[in-house]
Amino acid sequence: MHLYILLMVCMAAALGPWGPPVFGADDAVLRPRVPTDKIEEAKTWSNPFDATSENIEKGKAIFHGKAFCATCHGKDGKGLGSDIDQGSVKGPLPRNFTDKEWQAARTDGELFWILKHGSKGTAMASFIPLILTEEEAWQVLRYVRSFGQP
């Protein structure tokens, strides 16, 4: 099932009508991906898990395993920017989770909303509940947030 979803995400990325590549924290990267009529609600959601090393490790295991996040975002969280020839990419790269400006601009609730609903205009599909439980999604977000830390 996971392979099927991964193939569908890759096909969508290859066939979709994408804009120019995005490589850093510019205006396009910093714009919210949550629809305007949903963003205020999403911003009220907060991660129920503390940023403990145990919760971050659980999120890391899910990121690199069950959720296969590393497939698109890279094992280093840089959105494959360091792993691929950026000139060959058609469309935006997956989010670079190490970008501190992007990390500061997005709330956990917004990121959770994206995991639940996907991100229109990108290859980011919804992962809740097909791949992840809500609990697992929050744990993954604890790990994603750790990329923005020194």
Side-chain angles (χ1 to χ4, degrees), residues 70-104:
T71 303
C72 295
H73 294 282
K75 61 185 173 209
D76 59 3
K78 293 183 179 176
L80 298 183
S82 61
D83 300 338
I84 60 174
D85 173 15
Q86 293 178 353
S88 68
V89 174
K90 295 191 180 9
L93 291 173
R95 288 286 187 237
N96 174 357
F97 296 141
T98 67
D99 185 324
K100 290 179 182 9
E101 204 174 343
W102 173 82
Q103 285 268 3

Side-chain angles (χ1 to χ4, degrees), residues 8 20-22 29 31 34 40 43 45 50 58-59 63 66 76 88 91 98 102 105 117 119 147 149:
M8 296 305 292
V22 177
V29 169
R31 265 185 297 210
V34 178
E40 289 309 314
K43 285 182 176 184
W45 301 341
D50 293 329
K58 285 179 182 177
F63 182 97
K66 177 181 182 178
D76 59 3
S88 68
T98 67
W102 173 82
H117 301 281
S119 181
F147 286 117
Q149 304 301 313

Side-chain angles (χ1 to χ4, degrees), residues 20-139:
V22 177
F23 301 118
D26 60 19
D27 290 342
V29 169
L30 296 178
R31 265 185 297 210
R33 296 288 178 134
V34 178
T36 55
D37 63 329
K38 304 291 183 193
I39 196 162
E40 289 309 314
E41 178 187 6
K43 285 182 176 184
T44 67
W45 301 341
S46 59
N47 198 321
F49 294 96
D50 293 329
T52 64
S53 57
E54 180 183 348
N55 285 328
I56 292 169
E57 282 301 313
K58 285 179 182 177
K60 179 180 182 178
I62 297 165
F63 182 97
H64 291 282
K66 177 181 182 178
F68 56 89
C69 308
T71 303
C72 295
H73 294 282
K75 61 185 173 209
D76 59 3
K78 293 183 179 176
L80 298 183
S82 61
D83 300 338
I84 60 174
D85 173 15
Q86 293 178 353
S88 68
V89 174
K90 295 191 180 9
L93 291 173
R95 288 286 187 237
N96 174 357
F97 296 141
T98 67
D99 185 324
K100 290 179 182 9
E101 204 174 343
W102 173 82
Q103 285 268 3
R106 302 282 59 91
T107 67
D108 285 352
E110 290 173 88
L111 302 181
F112 183 85
W113 194 97
I114 297 297
L115 281 173
K116 191 167 186 168
H117 301 281
S119 181
K120 186 176 179 184
T122 75
M124 180 65 194
S126 62
F127 277 68
I128 304 168
L130 190 58
I131 306 295
L132 300 174
T133 66
E134 289 191 3
E135 179 178 296
E136 291 169 329
W138 286 118
Q139 289 171 327

